[in-house]
Amino acid sequence: MSSSSEIVFPASTENPNSSKWRFTWEAQSHTSTLRLILFNPNIKPCTEITVNLSVEKSLLTVCFVEGDSVRVPVPRVLIDPEAPVHCRVFDDHVEVKLSLLLPVDHPLISGLDLSEPEEEKPDSDTFFPFSVNYEIKKLSAMEEVHFYCRSCSTKLTKGIRLFNEMPSVDWQDVADNWFGTCCCSFGGISEQLVMQFAKSYSCTTGVCLITGASVIICKEDLVGCEFPELKGDQTYDSQVNSAKVTSLRPCPEEENNGVKPNNEVVEMMIDGDSSTCIPSKLKDEDKMKSLAGISSEANCDTKSHNTGCCTNNLSESFSKEKEYEMNTELLDKQKIFLKGCLGDAFMLRHSNLSKDVKWIEFLCPKCSSLIGAYPCSSDKAPLDDGVRLYKFNISTCLPVRGLNDLFREYTLERMFSRQLLEAAQDELTFRTVVRDIHTKRALSQIVLLNPNAWCYSGYCMHNMEPVTKINMYPVVKLLFSANINDTELEPRNVEEWATKNQADEVFMLPSQVKELITNLEMANTMLPPSHMLLQGFSMSSLKR
């Protein structure tokens, strides 16, 4: 286990395929055109070429006037054999366009079996990424689950039998949205619930919590790992938001009116109409008022005497009620939970960051590859007793990435592009700054171009090579700039760009950013020079 805030990119190496012709098939969702980009970085294509298409062999051959030819495999799509083939030659590449009978993402295409009869096919990943509920159902159906390192197949955990979705850590916002923050809108209930959640929140032995990007395992269930003991278990008088908070509590004679004492976790239920998690004892409004120490008569009296909210004479409306100062005893680590700052350290937002929390990269005990992370304070012990294992670094069974591995389709780039698209839908922003989670330094700028593209890239075949069967995959087309060293991205320019364009900000582990940039740069090399740059950014794509 180690933590690092510096990125060291490996020196570029000579690509053995650098002299070969490269191709990229591209298609857009809902369009019936398939485009081929063909180029060789060391050769300028001649203007006179001939294109031969063999639909039966899934092969396209480009013949040059000098007598040379290039063979390109055709992806498994429904090509219109009667439509003409369009070809254009540019300074640094050749473009070929074919007509399709149906777009590549048409529902009928997904239902067709275009594979060879003898091929072994895994379960369809049409619905990738899988939902958390789907994964919980699949994992719970197994008798017992061990998690393994994807790099070296080492067993990482003891047998896990219970799987639950990770509860929201934004407790304060959720409680405030439901009950309100004002003292005359049952704000006291919000404060009490958040305190109870913070006291009860902890990872439990034998239980696996699942998020969109990771599984959270109790440190006691990890094999071959030792952690420092958590220090600072002393208690203190907690004050929400570092301020003295008062809340209305029930009078002694009302404490038995179906209300839980303050040192017990409030029982929760799901409201049938709104699917909102609310205290079961507070389903009706009168009991909410009872818990807050407000009688119906007092509430009506307040409304009749005050046209506004929280006026100075509010105490007169509650002359028969007693106010109590909230002095709930919390452990040091539990106070941090009040801020809702925990997650899984993958693409964190500002709201999930805290100066009191540091993220430690968790490495495989055998091969030392990154497999997860955990939050800690000054003592470097897991803050909530849990370690986050990333789905794209682990497997649910052996062999890793086998047919029965539930996480076999997960990769870092697919997880990143998934959350990138979610942010674009929720925040209506198509520009993102990726920052180091430790130093907060900008490591990359990303501009989303097209979330609904399909492609396949590779190297052309020799004349004697058998035709390779290929399938197009969905991608997100984007622009990026990478901060390989401190001179690549000027901090001032990045901040001005982010402010001007209202860019989103995400914070990631530096080793993950390094891998992400490597993937982006590799995809960029499969484009001709005229397609590599746009407005100072590099063109690229990520699988989704």
Side-chain angles (χ1 to χ4, degrees):
M1 295 171 288
S2 67
S3 176
S4 173
S5 60
E6 295 296 326
I7 294 182
V8 179
F9 286 84
S12 60
T13 57
E14 184 68 21
N15 189 335
N17 295 311
S18 60
S19 62
K20 295 183 62 175
W21 283 84
R22 311 176 190 187
F23 71 89
T24 295
W25 289 102
E26 289 186 344
Q28 308 300 323
S29 296
H30 313 303
T31 62
S32 299
T33 300
L34 180 65
R35 184 173 74 144
L36 169 67
I37 298 176
L38 182 67
F39 77 102
N40 187 319
N42 301 317
I43 298 177
K44 181 178 180 179
C46 61
T47 56
E48 297 183 18
I49 63 174
T50 303
V51 178
N52 297 316
L53 174 64
S54 175
V55 178
E56 297 80 8
K57 296 181 180 180
S58 298
L59 179 67
L60 185 143
T61 304
V62 178
C63 301
F64 301 97
V65 69
E66 298 90 347
D68 296 331
S69 63
V70 176
R71 303 167 73 234
V72 182
V74 178
R76 292 170 177 172
V77 291
L78 294 181
I79 296 176
D80 185 355
E82 304 297 329
V85 177
H86 299 280
C87 179
R88 297 176 63 189
V89 179
F90 297 87
D91 288 339
D92 60 354
H93 70 281
V94 176
E95 180 185 82
V96 178
K97 289 186 177 182
L98 306 177
S99 297
L100 302 176
L101 295 173
L102 292 172
V104 292
D105 62 340
H106 194 280
L108 291 179
I109 296 294
S110 61
L112 294 178
D113 186 4
L114 300 177
S115 60
E116 298 297 326
E118 67 274 10
E119 285 189 63
E120 184 180 27
K121 301 182 290 296
D123 294 337
S124 173
D125 67 339
T126 303
F127 301 103
F128 178 88
F130 302 126
S131 68
V132 171
N133 288 335
Y134 174 87
E135 292 176 340
I136 292 177
K137 180 180 179 182
K138 287 292 185 179
L139 292 172
S140 300
M142 304 178 188
E143 181 177 350
E144 190 176 60
V145 177
H146 296 269
F147 292 103
Y148 301 85
C149 172
R150 185 180 285 188
S151 298
C152 67
S153 301
T154 297
K155 183 188 292 185
L156 302 172
T157 67
K158 302 175 183 177
I160 306 294
R161 297 174 180 270
L162 297 177
F163 300 89
N164 293 315
E165 184 175 0
M166 174 65 181
S168 170
V169 293
D170 299 323
W171 300 319
Q172 186 71 61
D173 291 340
V174 173
D176 288 347
N177 288 339
W178 179 255
F179 294 105
T181 58
C182 175
C183 61
C184 59
S185 61
F186 322 119
I189 300 178
S190 169
E191 295 161 359
Q192 292 181 41
L193 285 179
V194 171
M195 287 292 183
Q196 297 291 1
F197 283 138
K199 291 174 65 176
S200 63
Y201 176 71
S202 181
C203 295
T204 306
T205 303
V207 178
C208 172
L209 300 177
I210 301 180
T211 72
S214 68
V215 296
I216 304 179
I217 305 295
C218 180
K219 65 179 183 180
E220 304 298 332
D221 290 325
L222 292 169
V223 176
C225 301
E226 294 183 0
F227 299 90
E229 291 296 327
L230 186 65
K231 299 178 181 179
D233 285 343
Q234 69 274 11
T235 60
Y236 57 93
D237 292 341
S238 174
Q239 296 176 340
V240 180
N241 294 330
S242 302
K244 185 176 181 180
V245 178
T246 59
S247 65
L248 301 177
R249 289 186 178 181
C251 296
E253 61 267 23
E254 293 177 336
E255 288 187 352
N256 293 326
N257 269 349
V259 179
K260 290 282 186 180
N262 289 332
N263 60 347
E264 297 181 24
V265 177
V266 180
E267 182 181 357
M268 306 299 288
M269 67 173 290
I270 300 297
D271 182 82
D273 297 327
S274 61
S275 298
T276 303
C277 191
I278 63 173
S280 59
K281 297 296 184 180
L282 307 179
K283 178 64 175 173
D284 60 86
E285 185 175 310
D286 289 337
K287 290 181 180 178
M288 290 192 215
K289 295 175 181 178
S290 175
L291 179 58
I294 307 173
S295 64
S296 298
E297 293 79 4
N299 189 49
C300 293
D301 183 65
T302 302
K303 294 181 179 179
S304 62
H305 285 81
N306 301 296
T307 58
C309 180
C310 298
T311 56
N312 293 330
N313 62 347
L314 180 63
S315 58
E316 297 178 3
S317 302
F318 304 105
S319 56
K320 297 181 180 180
E321 308 295 340
K322 185 177 181 180
E323 295 186 2
Y324 295 88
E325 181 178 345
M326 182 181 294
N327 289 316
T328 306
E329 294 285 327
L330 290 177
L331 300 177
D332 283 344
K333 68 175 184 177
Q334 292 173 338
K335 181 182 180 182
I336 300 178
F337 300 156
L338 295 177
K339 304 175 183 179
C341 58
L342 297 185
D344 53 20
F346 186 75
M347 297 183 70
L348 292 184
R349 298 299 196 271
H350 258 302
S351 58
N352 297 116
L353 297 179
S354 171
K355 63 180 180 180
D356 301 319
V357 176
K358 298 179 180 179
W359 285 94
I360 302 295
E361 295 183 358
F362 184 73
L363 308 181
C364 172
K366 182 176 181 180
C367 69
S368 297
S369 62
L370 176 68
I371 55 177
Y374 65 87
C376 71
S377 187
S378 57
D379 48 24
K380 295 188 177 181
L383 196 57
D384 58 355
D385 297 329
V387 176
R388 284 75 173 151
L389 302 181
Y390 296 116
K391 296 176 183 177
F392 44 82
N393 293 135
I394 61 175
S395 296
T396 60
C397 65
L398 293 177
V400 297
R401 306 201 76 172
L403 296 180
N404 296 321
D405 182 5
L406 187 61
F407 298 158
R408 65 180 179 274
E409 298 292 343
Y410 283 100
T411 62
L412 172 65
E413 62 175 317
R414 296 185 81 172
M415 191 66 69
F416 181 87
S417 60
R418 169 191 177 182
Q419 296 198 19
L420 196 68
L421 293 178
E422 289 179 353
Q425 295 174 353
D426 297 339
E427 307 295 336
L428 297 179
T429 178
F430 302 97
R431 294 172 176 83
T432 303
V433 177
V434 181
R435 298 184 182 274
D436 187 323
I437 196 173
H438 303 304
T439 66
K440 311 303 184 289
R441 182 167 61 98
L443 301 179
S444 181
Q445 295 166 273
I446 291 178
V447 180
L448 183 62
L449 294 180
N450 186 353
N452 298 311
W454 293 70
C455 85
Y456 184 93
S457 299
Y459 293 92
C460 297
M461 301 178 298
H462 297 296
N463 290 333
M464 302 304 295
E465 282 186 84
V467 179
T468 305
K469 305 297 182 182
I470 61 176
N471 291 308
M472 300 185 73
Y473 48 82
V475 298
V476 177
K477 298 189 70 174
L478 50 81
L479 302 174
F480 80 98
S481 63
N483 192 12
I484 298 179
N485 53 61
D486 290 337
T487 61
E488 292 291 324
L489 295 181
E490 291 293 339
R492 180 177 178 180
N493 295 338
V494 173
E495 301 306 327
E496 291 178 354
W497 180 85
T499 302
K500 178 181 178 181
N501 296 283
Q502 297 182 333
D504 191 17
E505 290 184 326
V506 296
F507 298 82
M508 298 178 61
L509 297 173
S511 57
Q512 291 179 337
V513 180
K514 172 184 173 181
E515 180 181 346
L516 177 67
I517 292 177
T518 299
N519 292 335
L520 290 170
E521 291 177 336
M522 290 180 61
N524 178 259
T525 62
M526 300 308 295
L527 297 173
S530 59
H531 286 57
M532 284 186 172
L533 294 174
L534 179 63
Q535 298 179 354
F537 288 81
S538 300
M539 185 87 71
S540 188
S541 63
L542 289 174
K543 291 183 180 179
R544 58 176 171 89

